[in-house]
Amino acid sequence: QVQLVESGGGLVQAGGSLRLSCAASGSTLSINAMGWYRQAPGKQREFVARIWSTGGTNYADSVKGRFTISRDNAKNTVYLQMNSLNPEDTAVYFCNARVFVVTAVKWDDYWGQGTQVTVSS
């Protein structure tokens, strides 16, 4: 089992920056990837960024060049540095951890409770 706790959300002005943190606990050695998703009012949850245990990263086109995902393996923590924020970035941001279950040949996903990011114009 993996538990995830997000922090760092808040209210910022357009053009500002914010850094989100996600601390993982439990069976952290089994995590293959961690990432961030977000859900804005009236929209479906969408992928934002992901970092794999091997170091590779993926970003949504909407945040590429503005957001950076990183990790601190010693602290079992992943970060999302968000720069040049705009009102369209307003959403609840959820931390995600993906674990590969060998016996079932499938991925298991774990989710944090979410942290609100609000960008004012």
Side-chain angles (χ1 to χ4, degrees):
Q1 296 292 315
V2 175
Q3 296 81 45
L4 304 172
V5 179
E6 303 101 330
S7 63
L11 175 64
V12 297
Q13 298 182 63
S17 299
L18 203 62
R19 189 177 78 158
L20 305 183
S21 299
C22 176
S25 61
S27 302
T28 57
L29 293 177
S30 65
I31 298 174
N32 299 110
M34 293 184 67
W36 294 91
Y37 291 70
R38 67 186 182 186
Q39 187 166 19
K43 294 185 177 181
Q44 295 183 335
R45 185 175 299 186
E46 66 176 350
F47 166 79
V48 177
R50 178 186 296 111
I51 185 166
W52 297 90
S53 60
T54 52
T57 58
N58 303 108
Y59 294 94
D61 289 340
S62 60
V63 306
K64 194 171 298 181
R66 299 188 298 122
F67 291 10
T68 302
I69 189 168
S70 61
R71 66 186 182 188
D72 185 336
N73 290 332
K75 296 182 178 180
N76 295 314
T77 300
V78 65
Y79 305 95
L80 184 68
Q81 179 65 47
M82 304 184 294
N83 299 324
S84 301
L85 287 163
N86 58 64
E88 286 70 44
D89 295 314
T90 295
V92 177
Y93 284 71
F94 296 91
C95 182
N96 166 261
R98 178 159 285 185
V99 176
F100 186 68
V101 183
V102 177
T103 55
V105 195
K106 70 172 184 178
W107 298 98
D108 272 354
D109 285 299
Y110 296 86
W111 299 91
Q113 295 299 306
T115 184
Q116 177 71 48
V117 172
T118 302
V119 184
S120 62
S121 59

